[in-house]
């Protein structure tokens, strides 16, 4: 079977980090997390995984895999929660990469929409067939024309997993205000890290991959204050690693949970929810 090439040194390449993390997590900690798609997808990519493979048993890489899995579990929790109120809502994956969270939350009624750059969507479409009630939009998220294609008549939940780190603060703010204006009763969920965390984790991870076209990062030290952009947006937040699940699961060590606690408190890893009024 033909393999699909992922360009090196690009934002596109960043989709590898969480995808590989989810594959690794479901191999190592299947009771906590399973991802039937991630392994199959990694096999179909023309990408040199050897560096990641070499490090996969190190504590810090194990923790990185847990980060990818916990983020997806948290976001799934929020989507299911929203769908319990708006079962026919649009579930919109912003910067979807090769992530199938929308499908994993499919209740048989919702609409699933995946948005990413055209080159990523082109790869996605060769690897992942669109299911019933699902479609992809190839567009830069900063070009708001993609929003015209979202039917939010029955509600809409937007989520961005590991995406806004590649945006400037002003770009995130502007996108959020546009969403709030266009989609009353809509909801947006996304992860963020504080300034220290961004420096420590993200930059190291990206430097390892020699990604050069990311010049500025969005960070959030205090969600209640930093995300207070409009009185029409209700902001709430929870710890990214331990805010939804206690991570007490076979194979998860005390040290993993300790680092998770530090991640949430010291480096301000957070899952943020905005409800548009
Ligand atoms: C770290 S990956 C995360 C992928 C996916 N959300 C996941 O959890 O596996 C970041 C994704 O955001 C996409 N992205 C970053 N900036 C974007 C933009 N301005 N417009 C559309 N997609 C963007 C990248 O192409 C990439 O697929």
């Amino acid at each position: 079977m033909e393999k699909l090439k992922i360009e090196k040194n690009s934002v596109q390449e960043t989709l590898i980090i969480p995808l590989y993390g989810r594959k690794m997590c479901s191999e190592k900690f299947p009771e906590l997390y399973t991802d039937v798609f991630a392994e199959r997808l990694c096999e179909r990519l023309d990408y040199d995984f050897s560096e990641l493979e070499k490090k996969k048993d190190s504590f810090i890489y194990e923790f990185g895999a847990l980060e990818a899995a916990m983020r997806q579990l948290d976001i799934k929790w929020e989507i299911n929660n929203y769908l319990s109120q708006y079962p026919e809502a649009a579930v919109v994956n912003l910067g979807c990469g090769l992530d199938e969270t929308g499908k994993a939350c499919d209740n048989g009624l919702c609409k699933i929409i995946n948005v990413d750059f055209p080159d990523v969507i082109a790869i996605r479409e060769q690897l992942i067939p669109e299911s019933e009630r699902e479609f992809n939009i190839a567009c830069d998220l900063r070009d708001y024309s993609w929003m015209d294609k979202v039917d939010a008549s029955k509600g809409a939940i937007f989520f961005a997993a590991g995406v806004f780190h590649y945006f400037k603060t002003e770009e995130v703010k502007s996108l959020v205000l546009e969403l709030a204006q266009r989609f009353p009763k809509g909801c947006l969920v996304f992860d963020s890290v504080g300034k220290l965390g961004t420096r420590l984790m993200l930059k190291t991870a990206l430097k390892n991959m020699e990604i050069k076209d990311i010049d500025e990062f969005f960070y959030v030290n205090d969600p209640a204050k930093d995300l207070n952009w409009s009185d029409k947006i209700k902001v709430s937040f929870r710890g990214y690693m331990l805010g939804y699940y206690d991570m007490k699961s076979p194979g998860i060590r005390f040290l993993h949970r300790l680092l998770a606690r530090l991640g949430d408190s010291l480096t301000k890893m957070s899952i943020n929810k905005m409800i548009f009024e």
Side-chain angles (χ1 to χ4, degrees):
M1 201 179 286
E2 191 208 344
K3 291 203 172 197
L4 293 162
K5 189 159 183 60
I6 297 289
E7 288 304 325
K8 278 264 180 202
N9 305 334
S10 64
V11 173
Q12 185 196 73
E13 190 187 10
T14 63
L15 66 83
I16 295 289
I17 307 172
L19 179 68
Y20 186 79
R22 290 196 293 271
K23 163 179 143 62
M24 206 172 126
C25 206
S26 56
E27 282 167 10
K28 286 186 182 244
F29 312 111
E31 274 96 346
L32 177 77
Y33 180 80
T34 46
D35 190 326
V36 286
F37 308 112
E39 184 167 11
R40 237 176 15 223
L41 286 172
C42 285
E43 279 166 9
R44 294 274 330 265
L45 296 175
D46 176 8
Y47 181 83
D48 182 9
F49 287 100
S50 61
E51 277 307 303
L52 291 169
E53 285 286 329
K54 257 191 268 166
K55 293 174 187 155
K56 78 172 189 193
D57 292 323
S58 76
F59 179 76
I60 208 70
Y61 270 71
E62 265 183 2
F63 188 75
L66 283 168
E67 283 179 356
M70 294 319 292
R71 180 171 72 198
Q72 209 201 32
L73 288 174
D74 299 346
I75 289 179
K76 263 163 78 172
W77 190 99
E78 290 292 358
I79 296 171
N80 290 332
N81 183 49
Y82 188 85
L83 287 177
S84 67
Q85 209 183 343
Y86 299 101
E88 294 176 65
V91 176
V92 191
N93 191 344
L94 307 179
C96 57
L98 296 175
D99 167 55
E100 299 193 64
T101 299
K103 216 173 277 169
C105 296
D106 190 2
N107 61 359
L109 297 169
C110 63
K111 300 174 278 283
I112 301 166
I113 303 171
N114 308 299
V115 191
D116 209 304
F117 287 125
D119 54 348
V120 174
I121 292 295
I123 293 173
R124 184 180 176 96
E125 292 192 332
Q126 291 183 68
L127 292 171
I128 307 174
E130 285 169 22
S131 60
E132 203 197 332
R133 290 171 285 102
E134 179 178 28
F135 68 92
N136 301 323
I137 304 175
C139 194
D140 186 327
L141 287 165
R142 294 163 299 188
D143 160 5
Y144 303 149
S145 63
W146 65 266
M147 294 181 192
D148 300 338
K149 300 190 178 123
V150 176
D151 169 10
S153 54
K154 302 279 169 62
I157 176 156
F158 303 86
F159 61 99
V163 177
F164 290 160
H165 313 295
Y166 310 103
F167 280 48
K168 295 179 182 136
T169 302
E170 276 312 307
E171 290 173 339
V172 178
K173 184 175 173 183
S174 165
L175 176 70
V176 163
L177 293 178
E178 185 73 20
L179 287 171
Q181 195 204 320
R182 289 199 192 206
F183 302 104
K185 307 249 180 315
C187 177
L188 168 69
V189 182
F190 62 96
D191 59 304
S192 65
V193 184
K195 190 169 188 174
L196 174 71
T198 305
R199 291 263 149 78
L200 285 177
M201 290 181 267
L202 199 65
K203 277 205 171 157
T204 316
L206 298 174
K207 204 167 81 208
N208 286 344
M209 300 176 79
E210 293 178 68
I211 291 172
K212 296 192 183 71
D213 64 353
I214 298 163
D215 51 3
E216 248 181 80
F217 300 102
F218 165 67
Y219 64 84
V220 178
N221 285 330
D222 177 352
K225 198 161 135 259
D226 300 353
L227 302 175
N228 183 16
W229 291 330
S230 159
D231 54 10
K232 292 203 160 49
I233 302 176
K234 196 171 135 224
V235 178
S236 60
F237 55 95
R238 291 195 196 189
Y240 173 133
M241 295 301 288
L242 290 162
Y244 292 79
Y245 299 95
D246 62 12
M247 288 177 67
K248 287 188 181 145
S249 194
I252 309 283
R253 290 192 264 154
F254 168 75
L255 272 182
H256 287 129
R257 286 210 304 281
L258 179 66
L259 198 57
R261 242 196 317 275
L262 290 176
D264 285 356
S265 56
L266 214 63
T267 54
K268 316 265 187 237
M269 294 170 71
S270 171
I271 300 290
N272 311 298
K273 175 160 75 169
M274 293 179 156
I275 296 175
F276 308 139
E277 291 175 347

